[in-house]
Amino acid sequence: MAALQTPSPFAGTARRFAPRLRYLLLPTTMSLSSSVISSRSCDGDGEQPLLPHSSLEIAGARRGLLAGFDSLRRPYRAFPVFASNRHVETIFAAFTRSLPTVAFRRECLRTPDDGAVALDWVSGDDRALPGDAPVLILLPGLTGGSQDTYVRHMLLRARSKGWRVVVFNSRGCANSPVTTAKFYSASFTGDLRQVADHVLSRYPQSNIYAAGWSLGANILVRYLGEETDKCSLSGAVSMCNPFNLVIADEDFHKGFNNIYDRALANSLRVIFKKIGW
């Protein structure tokens, strides 16, 4: 059943990054598969078609976008026993979460400094999905990649809604090659910028989105701030973002958090040993 188009709730209250592009929110239904639809703008003598991808809109998101998700208005109820403590929840998920089987097709991108990043696409999606299917770029946390359970579960959830998904494996992660002395960090957004532009060039009729966890979320948000109105993404989600890296690092050295610190350090050592550092 077709939904009536209504003006974006961002209009009039938010500064637009690109005035030529507007989105109309469905009045009631907000889902992964179909949360927004494109509109047309009048320019001069008549209507002109807009690009299928919109620029990112941030201001006014609390009232306009987040209000469309009923689950965000309900109180959080932790799962009994396992989620009653954040450490129990984290460790329980790490050891019990299933690892879905996913067939990937790897694409390696060469960066301007002669580095390399690996993009893992779901094998067969080029034939199974239409050319204008929305694309979701996943950015795992520190040393994470397409081999991680949380990444694959998100991937399968998005694919079940008709989305094309690609995992952005940073330099050295998920067995991606390391060809330069430069690794990746929270302050370096060059690789993500190249990946976003590359994905958009491959699917120019699609809306491109990104979701990141932890360090991946930090890099993603920094990229959004740097790009502003030039951003290639139509939307982004930041999860478990250590916004203040200094405080986050200090917290890693306190009490039980030392376990996580050692685990991440060991994962980095594995990568460095592979390249002989």
Side-chain angles (χ1 to χ4, degrees):
M1 180 174 66
L4 294 177
Q5 295 184 354
T6 57
S8 168
F10 296 110
T13 61
R15 178 180 64 84
R16 294 196 174 280
F17 286 155
R20 70 185 187 282
L21 300 174
R22 293 187 63 192
Y23 253 19
L24 301 178
L25 296 179
L26 294 177
T28 55
T29 308
M30 299 289 292
S31 67
L32 251 179
S33 60
S34 178
S35 60
V36 288
I37 52 179
S38 297
S39 68
R40 301 164 72 91
S41 68
C42 185
D43 182 15
D45 296 331
E47 285 192 344
Q48 299 294 329
L50 298 180
L51 295 175
H53 51 277
S54 79
S55 78
L56 188 70
E57 298 176 285
I58 295 179
R62 177 185 297 275
R63 187 180 73 177
L65 182 61
L66 298 184
F69 294 87
D70 179 67
S71 61
L72 296 181
R73 296 195 297 270
R74 295 195 298 265
Y76 172 71
R77 299 187 183 279
F79 189 80
V81 182
F82 297 117
S84 59
N85 178 276
R86 62 186 185 276
H87 300 302
V88 173
E89 182 181 20
T90 300
I91 296 173
F92 178 80
F95 285 98
T96 62
R97 185 189 289 125
S98 63
L99 180 63
T101 300
V102 180
F104 288 111
R105 174 178 55 82
R106 174 156 292 191
E107 176 184 15
C108 288
L109 291 184
R110 183 68 67 176
T111 62
D113 66 339
D114 207 33
V117 297
L119 301 180
D120 282 339
W121 302 84
V122 179
S123 181
D125 272 2
D126 276 342
R127 298 183 301 273
L129 296 174
D132 61 351
V135 182
L136 177 62
I137 304 172
L138 297 180
L139 289 80
L142 180 63
T143 73
S146 56
Q147 79 283 356
D148 288 310
T149 58
Y150 67 92
V151 173
R152 293 195 181 189
H153 278 281
M154 176 69 82
L155 180 153
L156 292 180
R157 182 68 179 270
R159 285 188 73 234
S160 70
K161 302 295 184 179
W163 288 50
R164 191 187 315 276
V165 187
V166 57
V167 183
F168 169 28
N169 300 295
S170 295
R171 306 184 186 204
C173 297
N175 292 319
S176 60
V178 178
T179 57
T180 65
K182 179 189 290 185
F183 200 45
Y184 73 100
S185 68
S187 63
F188 180 58
T189 59
D191 288 350
L192 174 56
R193 183 171 292 103
Q194 181 178 352
V195 168
D197 292 342
H198 171 74
V199 171
L200 182 59
S201 68
R202 285 195 57 179
Y203 299 100
Q205 298 304 311
S206 297
N207 290 319
I208 312 298
Y209 302 86
W213 294 266
S214 192
L215 182 62
N218 195 279
I219 295 173
L220 174 59
V221 170
R222 184 182 184 92
Y223 161 77
L224 298 176
E226 292 174 352
E227 290 296 285
T228 62
D229 62 325
K230 302 184 296 295
C231 187
S232 301
L233 303 179
S234 296
V237 177
S238 166
M239 296 172 283
C240 307
N241 190 338
F243 285 102
N244 191 319
L245 292 171
V246 175
I247 293 178
D249 180 66
E250 292 174 350
D251 200 52
F252 262 127
H253 302 291
K254 297 178 181 178
F256 196 86
N257 291 339
N258 280 284
I259 293 178
Y260 308 133
D261 186 51
R262 287 194 292 270
L264 291 172
N266 288 335
S267 296
L268 284 170
R269 291 191 188 101
V270 170
I271 295 176
F272 294 150
K273 285 180 179 179
K274 289 181 179 179
I275 56 180
W277 288 6

